[in-house]
Amino acid sequence: MTPRQPASIRQEGKVFPIAFAKGFITIVAATLILVVLCLVFAPSSVSSGALAGSLPFASVLAIVGLGQMLVVQQGGFDLSVAGGVSLSVVLVTHYPAGDDAQLLPAILIALGCALLIGVCNSLLVGYMRLNAIVATIGVNALIYGGVFAVSGGVPRITTDLLATIAGGSLFGIGNAVVFAAVALGVVALIMKKTVMGRRFEAVGASPALAATIGLPVRRYQMLAYVFAQLLYCLAGILIAGLTTQPTAFQGDPLLLPSVAVVVLGGTSLLGGRGFPVSTVIAALFLNQLSQFSYAVGVPYSAQTIIQALALGFGIGIHSIRLPNKNKKLSTHSNLEETNETYVS
Amino acid sequence: MPSDQTKTGATGSNSDIVLRLGTISKSFGRVAALSDVSVAFHAGEVHAVLGENGAGKSTLMNIIKGVFKPTRGQIEVMGKPIAAMTPEISASLGIAIAFQHPAVLSDLSVLENLRVALPDALFEGTSAQSVGRALLDGVGLHVPLEARADTLSVAQLALLEIAKALAIKPRVLILDEPTASLDQDATDMLFARIRDLVAAGTAVIYITHRMAEVRQIAQRVTVLRDGRKRGEALVRDVSDQDLLGMIVGRALGSTFPPKADETGREINLSVRHLSGPQFKDISFDVARGQILGVAGVAGNGQSELMRALAGLLPWQGEVELTGSVLTSQEILHKAAFMPSDRQAEGLASGLTIRENASLAALSGFARFGFVNRKRELEEVAATFQALAVKAPGIEAATASLSGGNQQKVVMARALLSQPGLIVADEPTQGVDVGARAEIYRILRDVSSKGTPVIVNSSDAAELEGLCDSVIVLSRGKVVATLTGADVTEAKIVAAAVSAGSHAEVRQDQVAAQRSGWRHFVQTDNAPVIPLAVVIVLLGLYGFSQNTHFLSAYNVANMLMLATALGFIAMGQNIALLLGGIDLSVGPLAGFMVVVASFFINDGQSGLMILAGFALMLAAGVGVGLINGVLIRFANFTPIAATLAMYIGLQGCSFLLRNGPDGYINSEVVAWITWEFGAIPVAFIVLVAVALGGEYLLRQRRLGWQLRAVGSNEESARRIGVHIDRMYILGYLGSALFTAMGAVMLMAQIGVGDPQQGVNYTLSSITAVVLGGTSLKGGRGTFIGTVMGAILLMEVLNAVAFLGLSQTWQYVFQGALILIAAVVYSTLRNRAAANP
């Protein structure tokens, strides 16, 4: 087939990915409104000082959210976020015990453990066919076993080097923010530009379609758990640097927000296309929402309720657009007549 | 056939009309499925409804049953017009239907399937067993009543479906292709039953594709074509030729490209003795430039054959493509498959049309694993132009395209992948007339360039116009191979509807008598035994290490903890049985304790204390209702709804209390923790509630319906279960059990602490999974759940008691749930693999 000038199609409409726009516009609009609200009612929450304090933690959430998104878009669910983050936190604080020279080996060990956990999750879900929730609950408990074996539950002070790496800044931008941006860049680049990433997206968007063109669906689904753990590990390393004396449960408070940002970013919990940029913006949104609430004097408790409402609202918007795939009949295609689907 | 019946039917006057349809029309969107169909069904008569695939037969039946509402027209039963037919009304009028695809719930037993679908009155008086047995004997189905339905063969499922329809002694009985999976003996038995029913005055509506069956069983026949009534006649007055004439002759309205000339072309695809699921010993050749059609009544192995040819189903035999013999794996990559269900398999709605089209050809556009965007855009755009795809843009969403253009996107993907073979399953389904002609042209183009094309279509006229040769399948075998001038609609339909062969006897009958033990192993309650063994062994091991482990004090302590978890886990169990999940149970329990800590204090009046309990209950009712409503009416997934609830409830707890405060009334605590010997009374209550729940689950309609919804929502709806109501009840139940757990929790912590309770979400899921409940829904047990809770608490207690570090506490918990999940899922997969 000779490439011809694609006349009719490209000029008829603008080249704009509609699927991308869905979750993106919602979350961007919400974030902008929030920023305006902040400027008007709580300017202190968007001051450079406040941002410098809060953005690193938003970055950590963004990285964890990216990992969770990879799993969720493949129709999975990863409850081992908490363990994954906590383990990498204790590994990079306990092993060096304040000695900068030991930091690199500690980070390598943490990455190795993350790989191992990811493979473990993916084998249980992809090969043993366990329900993702059950498998990751179990693995999470095992990881916490590891966390206590390493730390004994006692926090240890982080190394200076790591504190500089994670807490320092580059041209006025916090290093943690740079790490999150790089993580986002890598994930987005792989997804949009590489053959593997494009196929990964397609498997998430429709496993049935991917199977008909001969893609190894299960292998892509398993891959998600491995990459997710690597991202959790990165987040854990950053937390270890940002917090002077991190506890053994540093990952726990990230579990629910990681799911929340994925959902707010427009990725369906039933699987489908993943939206990395929207997920990261959702992390900024959630973070700024807490900052705003804090600045206008809302107590911690009410902040959580506001988050729940934002989450419910976000899901509500997305679920109205999405048909409920749950209700779909099993793909028994030789129904006698095409209209033999039963209306509810 | 006794002649007097025929006479009754033939001379039937207006007075014995049971059901009359007047000018019924039904359209789905812009597609008219039925137009102005009027037909009357007489008592004591078998009335066959005949027609090709898509003629409107099933739509008509669904209108009679009240599943679909007609766009226009009247339904009269016994002379009375029915304003709006619903499945409930039709059932009360004695209209029963046996669906072609049985509405049988695979997680329930045979008896439970009968009881959940049939009115209670049927089972009154005598034992349910004997009623069930009699119903099965009536259709010659010899399977144990306790057997799980997923152990039945397809034919046995069809018989079970028929048994359900016959059970209510219907006035009107609709049978939709009942013999499709039956062998000769079962068919004879069924016909005998039909004759008995007709003799007793039932009107039987018999939908079929097979003319031989019409002659065998029916007195009257109505033929539908394109949603219109083409004719009605007494069977004895009409010849096969006339009937065939009424069935065929569809107006197509689209033009076909010229066919290939036949002279001596080389064969480029040769298939020999291909066998696989639902098809057997298929052989054919496709010459260069030719299109091969696959025809037959829908469901006779065509779609399986197509999937096998695309490498998506396993097969035995030989496939030779342009000189090389291919394996199934090779054919998967050689063949481009165009699936019949575009929405499910043909397109990914989340991706743009460019991404959909280029998916199979990505490596061709790539260098070092990176896709060259310019090349991709150029080639996709060129292909779209060659196929004349009309779309708002190359990045348009698939949903913005018409059916025809969607199909062209699927074709573009097939062509871009440069396939060695194109397998097109119903390529023009849901495609408008104009686009059909273009699709025919494209397929012909591809074929004439040397790529073999195989088309399956339920539309015989389309095959006549498009194909150079056609194989006709019946019951998975080729019954005719038509070539050249023989490729006509009439010959294709004649071959398909005249085939009289029956399904082969492959009745892998469930052994009629199995011991009670074998049945127990199959049931949901089977995990109870290994759980009990593990609990006892662990207890003994702990005892051997430290005799205090089984001291009255420690046992009471463990049981008390297990009681709180047990109640909450029972709530979780309900959500999982429904096929959902409830992440909010933990924070809900915590929230209830916080609420209680404002009322149930020392020195409060009895009224205040009662108010505290009432508020806990009210919180449960509110949360359960909101969860259920969000899931059913706001389209939230169960995870999303209960996750939002989780976060919200946690916030509410912190809103009420910043830290631990509000000590619980010590007298109330003493009552709740009252012990009888080493056994807390609350634990006895837990066991009693679990047994009660178990009874409801196995013996009452509510329990069957709950499991039916979790097992298969669609089938549950068809047998008349109110799905929305069950979901809301289920989540209410979950929250109420959580309230009982919260009472225990309150007594344990003794203070309103906003941080407590949250962990119970994950522990409850762990306990339920240990108990053997499947997260897929439909299968599970309350007794197992309670034992799971006991085991979990015993393990945690043992770790502390044996002086092991916290590490082991986590490791044991994790290992326990993973081992249980792996063991159960392996066992289930094995059971499913060889029933």
Side-chain angles (χ1 to χ4, degrees), chain A residues 6 9 12-13 19 128 141 145 148-149 193-195 198 209 256 273 301 312 319 324 329 336-337 339 341-342, chain B residues 57-59 62 67-68 209 345 350 355 358 369 371 376 381 384 391-392 413 635 643 646 654-655 714 806-807 810:
Chain A
I9 284 179
E12 271 176 43
M128 300 298 303
F148 278 88
K193 297 288 178 200
T194 68
V195 175
R198 291 278 297 274
L209 162 61
L256 295 179
R273 187 175 202 148
S301 50
S319 13
N324 193 340
L329 278 166
E336 200 240 0
E337 291 179 15
N339 50 30
T341 43
Y342 293 87
Chain B
K57 303 185 298 290
S58 287
T59 309
N62 280 314
V67 178
F68 293 156
H209 283 100
E345 283 188 310
E355 290 167 322
S358 61
V371 179
E376 183 193 348
F384 279 175
R413 179 172 63 239
N635 226 1
L643 178 68
Y646 182 116
F654 276 101
L655 195 65
E714 190 50 45
Q806 221 173 344
T807 305
Y810 284 105

Side-chain angles (χ1 to χ4, degrees), chain B residues 164-224:
Chain B
K164 286 195 296 184
L166 293 177
I168 59 166
K169 309 212 166 36
R171 190 177 284 150
V172 177
L173 173 65
I174 304 170
L175 296 168
D176 191 355
E177 299 262 355
T179 61
S181 57
L182 299 186
D183 62 15
Q184 189 62 51
D185 287 350
T187 306
D188 289 346
M189 180 282 313
L190 175 64
F191 283 2
R193 282 304 306 268
I194 293 177
R195 289 186 186 115
D196 292 346
L197 281 170
V198 167
T202 300
V204 175
I205 306 176
Y206 192 96
I207 301 178
T208 184
H209 283 100
R210 292 169 203 283
M211 245 152 26
E213 287 189 350
V214 175
R215 293 251 169 251
Q216 250 181 302
I217 191 75
Q219 286 86 49
R220 197 183 291 269
V221 58
T222 291
V223 179
L224 294 180

Side-chain angles (χ1 to χ4, degrees), chain B residues 468-490:
Chain B
D468 304 290
S469 58
V470 168
I471 57 171
V472 183
L473 265 58
S474 179
R475 312 245 195 228
K477 290 187 187 148
V478 175
V479 290
T481 304
L482 307 169
T483 52
D486 281 346
V487 180
T488 63
E489 189 197 0

